[in-house]
Structure formats: C-alpha cells, structure tokens
Amino acid sequence: MADDIFDGRVAVVTGSTRGIGRAVAEALLRRGTHVVVSSRDTRRVAETAEALAEVGPGRVLAHPCDVRQPEACHALIRAAVDEFGVLDVLVNNAGLGRFAAIQEMEAESWNQQIRTNLDGVFHCSKAAIPHLQAQDGGWIFNIGSLAGRNAFSGGVAYNASKWGLLGMTEAMMLDLRHEGIRVTCIMPGSVNTHFFEDGPDPFDDWKLQSADIARVITDLMAFPDRALPSKVEIRPSRPPRK
Ligand SMILES: NC(=O)c1ccc[n+]([C@@H]2O[C@H](COP(=O)([O-])OP(=O)(O)OC[C@H]3O[C@@H](n4cnc5c(N)ncnc54)[C@H](OP(=O)(O)O)[C@@H]3O)[C@@H](O)[C@H]2O)c1
C-alpha cells in the first residue's frame, strides 16, 4: 500500500469518540492521514483527541458536532479545512439505533434516528463536497448496515434510515463519480461496540470488531483511481445458529 494514499491526507470522521468511528480515525492516523474527530459530547471529543494524539504520524483535531444540526456540520468541515488546508475523505459514521415495534415507537425516537442516520449524512456531505471537488480525488464513506436491506421486527426506524442511506449513497455515487469523488456504502452486520444498550460484550467474540470496519476503509482507499467499490457488505463469519 503506497503511503501517499494516506500520507498528509485529511479526513473527517463523524461519531468518532468510540466504536467504528474511533477505529477508523485510529487506522487513518497510523497511516499518516490527519483526522478530525467528532461527536456531540465535547468532553469525550477532547479526550479522544488526546488519546489518539500519539498514534500518528497523522495529526488529530478535536471538533464537536451534532450531525443533526446543519450549521454544526458546516462548521465541522470548515474546522478541518482551516486547520489542514484541504479535505480528502469524509466518513459519515455517526449513527444510532433505537429498537421498538411500530406500535411502541415514539415519534421522538423515529425523528432522532432519521435526523442522525440520514439527515446528518446529507448535511455533512453538502458541506464537504465543494472541498472534495477541489481535490484530485475525494472519497465519502457512508456507514450503512445490513439492516439497510434486511428488515427485522423492531427495526422500523433503523431499517428505514439505513435503507434510505443505501439509496442515498448510490445516488450520490452516480452524481459525484464524474467529478473524481468516490462514494461507498459500507454495510456491516453485528459489530461489538457501544451501539447496543449494554455496550460491548467480551463474550460476543463471534461479532465483528470495529477494526475490521476500519480495515475495509483503508483497504478500499488503496484501490486505483479507476476503481470504485461502491458497496461492501461485511458480516461475522460464524454467528450463533438461529
Ligand atoms: N455496531 C453495529 O453492530 C453496527 C452494525 C452496522 C452498522 N453500524 C453503524 O455504525 C455506525 C457507528 O456505530 P457504532 O457501532 O460504532 O456505535 P457507537 O459505539 O454507539 O458509536 C456511535 C458514535 O456516534 C456518535 N453520535 C451519535 N449520535 C450523534 C450525533 N447526532 N451527532 C454526532 N455524533 C453522534 C456517538 O457519540 P455521542 O453519543 O457522544 O454523540 C459515538 O461516537 C452507526 O452509523 C451504526 O448505525 C453499527
């Protein structure tokens, strides 16, 4: 893998204080990419940046952002460009799942999932695209889910958000590929993170690890410019039998 794919590049990773986003930030920093880490929680963002500061050669910048807020998304991208001069990669990772049957699903919970998992991707992408256009080849990774094509009971809002994200990502890919911006939907199955209410479970060793998803991103970035892997499904190889 040639270093210049990563070295001195600039990435923004939303929702990167833990789980998949943090692993992606760490993998990029290790390869020399400068990374803006972010989430809604100002304290955790600062702590994450501090913890990742020694990982480099890439440099890390802390910038809190609630992706439900359009202005905050524009400020996040501006912070990256102000600090590092350019933007090469946006990882739309911030997301959450609240699971309940339609009969019990509260409008507030529906709105929170749609606004985070779908609107947030729109706001961050809109802010990032002009800067990616200015670069010689940018990349947007949207973290979807296998729930974007497999419905399950209790998934009314989460399925809707990730199904929508898959369609949105494919449309964005078609809009942007002629401008040298590659757009990819990564669709993981179960990953052992804080996504689930009880947090990561040391006994769930059959699940994917966040580093596996980070590896998908760094491996894809090593593809030549002519190749656009636009959708990747990744799932545990040996889940418990149902
Ligand atoms: N874990 C899985 O099994 C799995 C499977 C498929 C897809 N995914 C997807 O992977 C992505 C990352 O999930 P994860 O498993 O790493 O979950 P996680 O450990 O809960 O991390 C989620 C991150 O997103 C941030 N976040 C949540 N709402 C936000 C908002 N409105 N604005 C900005 N940041 C926000 C969180 O920080 P704050 O709460 O402090 O803001 C946190 O940093 C999500 O899009 C999820 O849907 C996860």
Side-chain angles (χ1 to χ4, degrees):
M1 203 180 288
D3 274 352
D4 58 7
I5 296 163
F6 300 101
D7 199 23
R9 301 285 179 171
V10 179
V12 169
V13 185
T14 66
S16 41
T17 50
R18 57 178 192 252
I20 294 169
R22 183 174 170 135
V24 172
E26 186 168 342
L28 291 173
L29 287 164
R30 278 192 198 292
R31 286 165 177 75
T33 299
H34 308 310
V35 178
V36 183
V37 294
S38 189
S39 88
R40 292 169 295 181
D41 186 320
T42 303
R43 186 177 54 81
R44 280 207 198 126
V45 172
E47 285 170 1
T48 304
E50 199 181 327
L52 293 179
E54 300 306 317
V55 164
R59 286 193 290 129
V60 59
L61 176 73
H63 190 95
C65 168
D66 181 340
V67 299
R68 296 172 296 180
Q69 310 293 340
E71 262 319 306
C73 296
H74 284 267
L76 172 66
I77 301 297
R78 250 194 329 271
V81 175
D82 286 350
E83 179 73 14
F84 300 119
V86 295
L87 180 69
D88 300 288
V89 179
L90 169 64
V91 183
N92 283 308
N93 166 78
L96 77 171
R98 299 284 179 265
F99 304 105
I102 181 71
Q103 302 93 310
E104 281 88 41
M105 174 66 60
E106 303 286 347
E108 167 57 27
S109 181
W110 166 271
N111 286 335
Q112 194 182 357
Q113 290 175 79
I114 300 298
R115 289 182 60 207
T116 307
N117 301 358
L118 211 44
D119 295 3
V121 176
F122 177 80
H123 301 317
C124 289
S125 300
K126 286 289 287 180
I129 286 165
H131 301 287
L132 298 175
Q133 283 169 324
Q135 287 299 92
D136 187 19
W139 212 315
I140 299 176
F141 293 99
N142 290 341
I143 307 300
S145 169
L146 288 179
R149 74 174 190 84
N150 303 317
F152 51 87
S153 173
V156 59
Y158 192 67
N159 285 139
S161 70
K162 294 297 185 179
W163 224 288
L165 181 61
L166 177 60
M168 177 184 179
T169 308
E170 290 187 5
M172 284 169 61
M173 180 270 288
L174 296 171
D175 289 341
L176 293 170
R177 65 177 167 170
H178 294 291
E179 305 198 26
I181 301 171
R182 289 180 276 186
V183 185
T184 301
C185 194
I186 298 175
M187 302 168 69
S190 296
V191 188
N192 203 3
T193 69
H194 283 89
F195 180 81
F196 302 99
E197 253 165 42
D198 299 336
D201 183 343
F203 299 107
D204 276 353
D205 56 2
W206 58 271
K207 286 186 178 176
L208 295 164
Q209 297 296 323
S210 297
D212 301 329
I213 312 307
R215 180 170 171 181
V216 172
I217 290 186
T218 52
D219 284 1
L220 291 184
M221 285 174 66
F223 270 80
D225 280 353
R226 64 175 174 273
L228 170 45
S230 47
K231 182 169 69 175
V232 175
E233 295 185 0
I234 174 167
R235 66 189 75 223
S237 18
R238 292 187 189 193
R241 287 181 197 274
K242 287 190 180 150

